Short mmCIF file of all heavy atoms in Angstrom, two decimals:
data_model
loop_
_atom_site.label_atom_id
_atom_site.label_comp_id
_atom_site.label_asym_id
_atom_site.label_seq_id
_atom_site.Cartn_x
_atom_site.Cartn_y
_atom_site.Cartn_z
N VAL A 1 10.53 1.25 4.54
CA VAL A 1 9.88 0.00 4.40
C VAL A 1 10.73 -0.97 3.65
O VAL A 1 11.27 -0.83 2.65
CB VAL A 1 8.60 0.36 3.51
CG1 VAL A 1 7.87 -0.92 3.25
CG2 VAL A 1 7.77 1.50 4.27
N SER A 2 10.85 -2.26 4.38
CA SER A 2 11.51 -3.31 3.84
C SER A 2 10.69 -3.95 2.57
O SER A 2 9.61 -3.71 2.52
CB SER A 2 11.84 -4.35 4.94
OG SER A 2 10.62 -5.01 5.21
N ASP A 3 11.36 -4.80 1.88
CA ASP A 3 10.71 -5.50 0.78
C ASP A 3 9.46 -6.26 1.31
O ASP A 3 8.53 -6.27 0.68
CB ASP A 3 11.72 -6.41 0.09
CG ASP A 3 12.71 -5.72 -0.87
OD1 ASP A 3 12.42 -4.46 -1.11
OD2 ASP A 3 13.81 -6.27 -1.09
N TYR A 4 9.73 -7.05 2.41
CA TYR A 4 8.56 -7.84 2.94
C TYR A 4 7.49 -6.95 3.29
O TYR A 4 6.29 -7.21 3.11
CB TYR A 4 9.09 -8.75 4.10
CG TYR A 4 7.89 -9.42 4.83
CD1 TYR A 4 7.29 -10.50 4.20
CD2 TYR A 4 7.47 -8.95 6.00
CE1 TYR A 4 6.18 -11.13 4.83
CE2 TYR A 4 6.31 -9.53 6.56
CZ TYR A 4 5.80 -10.60 6.09
OH TYR A 4 4.68 -11.21 6.72
N ALA A 5 7.77 -5.90 4.03
CA ALA A 5 6.78 -4.85 4.55
C ALA A 5 6.06 -4.34 3.41
O ALA A 5 4.90 -4.09 3.37
CB ALA A 5 7.35 -3.86 5.45
N HIS A 6 6.85 -4.08 2.35
CA HIS A 6 6.22 -3.43 1.07
C HIS A 6 5.15 -4.35 0.44
O HIS A 6 4.07 -4.06 0.09
CB HIS A 6 7.34 -3.08 0.10
CG HIS A 6 6.77 -2.49 -1.16
ND1 HIS A 6 7.49 -2.40 -2.27
CD2 HIS A 6 5.60 -1.79 -1.46
CE1 HIS A 6 6.89 -1.74 -3.19
NE2 HIS A 6 5.63 -1.32 -2.69
N THR A 7 5.51 -5.58 0.38
CA THR A 7 4.64 -6.62 -0.08
C THR A 7 3.35 -6.77 0.71
O THR A 7 2.19 -6.83 0.27
CB THR A 7 5.24 -7.96 -0.29
OG1 THR A 7 6.47 -7.93 -1.07
CG2 THR A 7 4.40 -9.08 -0.90
N ARG A 8 3.57 -6.85 2.01
CA ARG A 8 2.49 -6.95 2.98
C ARG A 8 1.60 -5.76 2.96
O ARG A 8 0.32 -5.85 3.02
CB ARG A 8 2.99 -7.25 4.43
CG ARG A 8 1.99 -7.48 5.43
CD ARG A 8 1.28 -8.93 5.17
NE ARG A 8 0.03 -9.02 5.95
CZ ARG A 8 -1.10 -9.34 5.51
NH1 ARG A 8 -1.21 -9.62 4.20
NH2 ARG A 8 -2.08 -9.43 6.23
N LEU A 9 2.17 -4.53 2.82
CA LEU A 9 1.38 -3.35 2.77
C LEU A 9 0.52 -3.33 1.55
O LEU A 9 -0.73 -3.02 1.59
CB LEU A 9 2.39 -2.17 2.62
CG LEU A 9 1.74 -0.77 2.53
CD1 LEU A 9 1.01 -0.29 3.57
CD2 LEU A 9 2.69 0.32 2.03
N GLU A 10 0.99 -3.70 0.36
CA GLU A 10 0.21 -3.68 -0.77
C GLU A 10 -0.89 -4.74 -0.72
O GLU A 10 -1.95 -4.57 -1.15
CB GLU A 10 1.12 -4.04 -2.05
CG GLU A 10 1.86 -2.82 -2.41
CD GLU A 10 2.72 -3.01 -3.64
OE1 GLU A 10 2.95 -4.29 -4.12
OE2 GLU A 10 3.28 -2.02 -4.23
N ASP A 11 -0.49 -5.89 -0.19
CA ASP A 11 -1.60 -7.01 0.08
C ASP A 11 -2.78 -6.45 0.90
O ASP A 11 -3.83 -6.62 0.57
CB ASP A 11 -1.03 -8.27 0.61
CG ASP A 11 -0.08 -9.03 -0.26
OD1 ASP A 11 -0.16 -8.77 -1.42
OD2 ASP A 11 0.65 -9.91 0.25
N ILE A 12 -2.43 -5.88 2.04
CA ILE A 12 -3.40 -5.27 2.87
C ILE A 12 -4.26 -4.18 2.14
O ILE A 12 -5.53 -4.21 2.13
CB ILE A 12 -2.85 -4.67 4.14
CG1 ILE A 12 -2.26 -5.81 5.00
CG2 ILE A 12 -3.85 -3.99 5.02
CD1 ILE A 12 -1.46 -5.36 6.22
N LEU A 13 -3.64 -3.24 1.57
CA LEU A 13 -4.29 -2.19 0.91
C LEU A 13 -5.06 -2.57 -0.27
O LEU A 13 -6.32 -2.24 -0.35
CB LEU A 13 -3.32 -1.01 0.44
CG LEU A 13 -2.55 -0.26 1.59
CD1 LEU A 13 -1.76 0.75 0.96
CD2 LEU A 13 -3.60 0.36 2.57
N PHE A 14 -4.58 -3.32 -1.21
CA PHE A 14 -5.29 -3.53 -2.49
C PHE A 14 -6.30 -4.74 -2.37
O PHE A 14 -7.18 -4.85 -3.14
CB PHE A 14 -4.19 -3.87 -3.59
CG PHE A 14 -3.45 -2.64 -3.87
CD1 PHE A 14 -2.15 -2.42 -3.46
CD2 PHE A 14 -3.97 -1.47 -4.56
CE1 PHE A 14 -1.37 -1.38 -3.85
CE2 PHE A 14 -3.37 -0.36 -4.77
CZ PHE A 14 -1.98 -0.23 -4.38
N ASP A 15 -6.12 -5.54 -1.28
CA ASP A 15 -7.06 -6.74 -1.25
C ASP A 15 -8.18 -6.38 -0.32
O ASP A 15 -9.27 -6.92 -0.44
CB ASP A 15 -6.30 -7.91 -0.71
CG ASP A 15 -5.35 -8.54 -1.59
OD1 ASP A 15 -5.37 -8.17 -2.84
OD2 ASP A 15 -4.41 -9.33 -1.18
N ASN A 16 -8.11 -5.50 0.58
CA ASN A 16 -9.19 -5.15 1.72
C ASN A 16 -9.67 -3.89 1.69
O ASN A 16 -10.71 -3.55 2.33
CB ASN A 16 -8.48 -5.58 3.02
CG ASN A 16 -8.04 -6.95 3.14
OD1 ASN A 16 -8.82 -7.96 3.19
ND2 ASN A 16 -6.72 -7.17 3.11
N PHE A 17 -9.06 -2.92 0.92
CA PHE A 17 -9.50 -1.53 1.02
C PHE A 17 -9.71 -1.01 -0.42
O PHE A 17 -9.12 -1.54 -1.40
CB PHE A 17 -8.58 -0.67 1.75
CG PHE A 17 -8.44 -0.93 3.13
CD1 PHE A 17 -7.54 -1.82 3.66
CD2 PHE A 17 -9.30 -0.34 4.04
CE1 PHE A 17 -7.36 -2.15 5.00
CE2 PHE A 17 -9.20 -0.73 5.46
CZ PHE A 17 -8.29 -1.53 5.89
N LYS A 18 -10.54 -0.03 -0.51
CA LYS A 18 -10.66 0.60 -1.88
C LYS A 18 -9.74 1.86 -1.78
O LYS A 18 -9.80 2.58 -0.95
CB LYS A 18 -12.08 1.05 -2.06
CG LYS A 18 -12.40 1.96 -3.30
CD LYS A 18 -13.80 2.29 -3.51
CE LYS A 18 -14.00 3.02 -4.73
NZ LYS A 18 -15.43 3.60 -4.81
N ILE A 19 -8.88 2.07 -2.81
CA ILE A 19 -8.01 3.17 -2.83
C ILE A 19 -8.76 4.25 -3.50
O ILE A 19 -9.11 4.26 -4.60
CB ILE A 19 -6.72 2.84 -3.74
CG1 ILE A 19 -6.09 1.56 -3.12
CG2 ILE A 19 -5.76 4.04 -3.65
CD1 ILE A 19 -5.48 1.63 -1.77
N LEU A 20 -8.99 5.33 -2.63
CA LEU A 20 -9.68 6.57 -3.15
C LEU A 20 -8.71 7.53 -3.84
O LEU A 20 -9.08 8.18 -4.76
CB LEU A 20 -10.37 7.27 -2.01
CG LEU A 20 -11.42 6.42 -1.21
CD1 LEU A 20 -11.87 7.22 0.04
CD2 LEU A 20 -12.59 5.92 -2.14
N SER A 21 -7.66 7.63 -3.33
CA SER A 21 -6.60 8.63 -4.02
C SER A 21 -5.18 8.19 -3.56
O SER A 21 -4.94 7.63 -2.54
CB SER A 21 -6.83 10.04 -3.56
OG SER A 21 -6.62 10.31 -2.35
N THR A 22 -4.20 8.57 -4.42
CA THR A 22 -2.87 8.37 -4.14
C THR A 22 -2.13 9.61 -4.49
O THR A 22 -2.33 10.33 -5.48
CB THR A 22 -2.30 7.15 -5.03
OG1 THR A 22 -3.03 6.11 -4.79
CG2 THR A 22 -0.88 6.94 -4.64
N LYS A 23 -1.24 10.12 -3.66
CA LYS A 23 -0.49 11.25 -3.76
C LYS A 23 1.02 11.05 -3.42
O LYS A 23 1.25 10.57 -2.34
CB LYS A 23 -1.01 12.44 -2.99
CG LYS A 23 -0.43 13.82 -3.28
CD LYS A 23 -0.92 14.81 -2.31
CE LYS A 23 -2.45 15.02 -2.49
NZ LYS A 23 -2.98 16.17 -1.72
N ASP A 24 1.92 11.38 -4.33
CA ASP A 24 3.31 11.15 -4.05
C ASP A 24 3.97 12.54 -3.78
O ASP A 24 3.91 13.56 -4.53
CB ASP A 24 4.11 10.52 -5.19
CG ASP A 24 3.63 9.10 -5.41
OD1 ASP A 24 3.49 8.36 -4.44
OD2 ASP A 24 3.43 8.75 -6.68
N ILE A 25 4.65 12.66 -2.53
CA ILE A 25 5.17 13.82 -2.12
C ILE A 25 6.61 13.62 -1.43
O ILE A 25 6.63 12.95 -0.41
CB ILE A 25 4.48 14.64 -1.13
CG1 ILE A 25 2.96 14.96 -1.77
CG2 ILE A 25 5.05 15.91 -0.69
CD1 ILE A 25 2.06 15.70 -0.77
N ASN A 26 7.73 14.14 -2.07
CA ASN A 26 9.02 13.85 -1.47
C ASN A 26 9.42 12.50 -0.99
O ASN A 26 9.78 12.34 0.15
CB ASN A 26 9.24 14.92 -0.30
CG ASN A 26 9.08 16.35 -0.71
OD1 ASN A 26 9.41 16.65 -1.94
ND2 ASN A 26 8.67 17.21 0.08
N GLY A 27 9.16 11.51 -1.76
CA GLY A 27 9.44 10.09 -1.36
C GLY A 27 8.53 9.42 -0.42
O GLY A 27 8.75 8.35 0.03
#
């Protein structure tokens, strides 16, 4: 994921959806 895509991903997820859970596995 590029820096721009990372920013866009966060904008979409955190502005329009409710985050129910987050899990980090192997990067």
Side-chain angles (χ1 to χ4, degrees):
V1 177
S2 68
D3 290 338
Y4 172 76
H6 183 199
T7 304
R8 187 64 190 134
L9 173 69
E10 287 184 347
D11 288 345
I12 291 171
L13 291 182
F14 295 109
D15 292 345
N16 300 289
F17 294 93
K18 179 181 178 184
I19 307 296
L20 301 175
S21 68
T22 304
K23 189 184 297 184
D24 292 315
I25 302 173
N26 298 331

